Amino acid sequence: MPQLNPEFYISQLFWLVLTFTFLFIFLWRISLPRISTVLEKRSNKINEDIEIAKLHQTKAEEIQKSIDNQLREAKLETADLIKSTNQSLQDHATKELDKLDKLLNRKLDESSSQIEKNKSDSLNQINDQIYEITKLTLSRISSINVNDEDIKDVVKNVKQEVLN
């Protein structure tokens, strides 16, 4: 093995120092600065992306709060609108029921007065018929001539007794 031969040690040491020096200078001046530049750019890009993400997250939270507030306001407005509509419908229904109640009461009063009138007319007709029947009956049964006023008085007295 020639590497172990002592006469080649100096030559090998020379090339070792030269190669390591070249490799050291190459890494130190060219490769490592490029790698550190790439790492710095990568770190800066990651930091910028994180900052942008935080900014977007803050904006998204603000938008979410705004949407929540709008929803809450819309729910409150809807509830108020439902309450006011319900109240107005109840008021309207109450007014309509009052109108109908008054109309029904008026019609009931009219019907009652009409019934009373018809009853009175019917009683008067019955009285007239009783008077006529009594007059006819008395004239057929007996030959007594009875005065019309007497018959009317008797019919009135009987009517009073029946009503009491």
Side-chain angles (χ1 to χ4, degrees), residues 78-94:
T78 304
D80 290 342
L81 185 62
I82 288 171
K83 285 179 184 177
S84 65
T85 303
N86 191 14
Q87 185 64 35
S88 71
L89 286 175
Q90 285 179 350
D91 292 343
H92 183 69
T94 303

Side-chain angles (χ1 to χ4, degrees), residues 98-115:
D98 288 342
K99 286 180 184 178
L100 287 174
D101 194 32
K102 288 177 184 178
L103 179 66
L104 287 175
N105 285 336
R106 191 180 74 226
K107 286 188 177 189
L108 188 62
D109 291 341
E110 289 174 1
S111 296
S112 176
S113 65
Q114 186 67 30
I115 288 171

Side-chain angles (χ1 to χ4, degrees), residues 149-164:
E149 290 298 320
D150 290 337
I151 295 172
K152 285 182 183 178
D153 287 339
V154 170
V155 169
K156 281 183 185 178
N157 287 336
V158 170
K159 178 181 165 188
Q160 291 296 328
E161 289 178 15
V162 168
L163 289 176
N164 290 330

Side-chain angles (χ1 to χ4, degrees), residues 6-162:
E7 82 183 53
F8 296 115
Y9 281 165
I10 298 211
S11 163
Q12 286 177 357
L13 266 173
F14 171 76
W15 287 112
L16 178 71
V17 170
L18 185 69
T19 303
F20 277 113
T21 305
F22 174 74
L23 185 62
F24 176 75
I25 291 173
F26 177 76
L27 288 175
W28 177 44
R29 291 289 183 183
I30 297 172
S31 292
L32 290 178
R34 286 183 184 172
I35 291 172
S36 68
T37 304
V38 168
L39 289 176
E40 275 185 47
K41 285 181 182 178
R42 183 192 231 177
S43 174
N44 289 339
K45 178 68 174 157
I46 289 171
N47 289 336
E48 288 175 9
D49 289 345
I50 289 173
E51 289 298 320
I52 291 172
K54 286 180 182 178
L55 181 66
H56 287 322
Q57 183 180 8
T58 305
K59 286 181 181 178
E61 288 172 355
E62 289 174 4
I63 290 171
Q64 184 65 36
K65 286 180 184 177
S66 172
I67 289 171
D68 289 342
N69 288 336
Q70 289 175 353
L71 282 173
R72 190 177 318 109
E73 289 173 7
K75 285 180 182 178
L76 290 174
E77 288 175 9
T78 304
D80 290 342
L81 185 62
I82 288 171
K83 285 179 184 177
S84 65
T85 303
N86 191 14
Q87 185 64 35
S88 71
L89 286 175
Q90 285 179 350
D91 292 343
H92 183 69
T94 303
K95 287 178 184 177
E96 290 297 319
L97 286 174
D98 288 342
K99 286 180 184 178
L100 287 174
D101 194 32
K102 288 177 184 178
L103 179 66
L104 287 175
N105 285 336
R106 191 180 74 226
K107 286 188 177 189
L108 188 62
D109 291 341
E110 289 174 1
S111 296
S112 176
S113 65
Q114 186 67 30
I115 288 171
E116 286 296 321
K117 181 183 174 194
N118 288 342
K119 180 181 172 185
S120 164
D121 290 345
S122 296
L123 286 175
N124 288 335
Q125 287 177 359
I126 290 171
N127 286 337
D128 290 342
Q129 291 294 323
I130 290 173
Y131 165 73
E132 290 296 323
I133 291 171
T134 307
K135 186 177 179 181
L136 259 168
T137 307
L138 283 175
S139 69
R140 295 243 175 145
I141 294 178
S142 71
S143 58
I144 303 173
N145 246 350
V146 181
N147 187 1
D148 288 342
E149 290 298 320
D150 290 337
I151 295 172
K152 285 182 183 178
D153 287 339
V154 170
V155 169
K156 281 183 185 178
N157 287 336
V158 170
K159 178 181 165 188
Q160 291 296 328
E161 289 178 15
V162 168

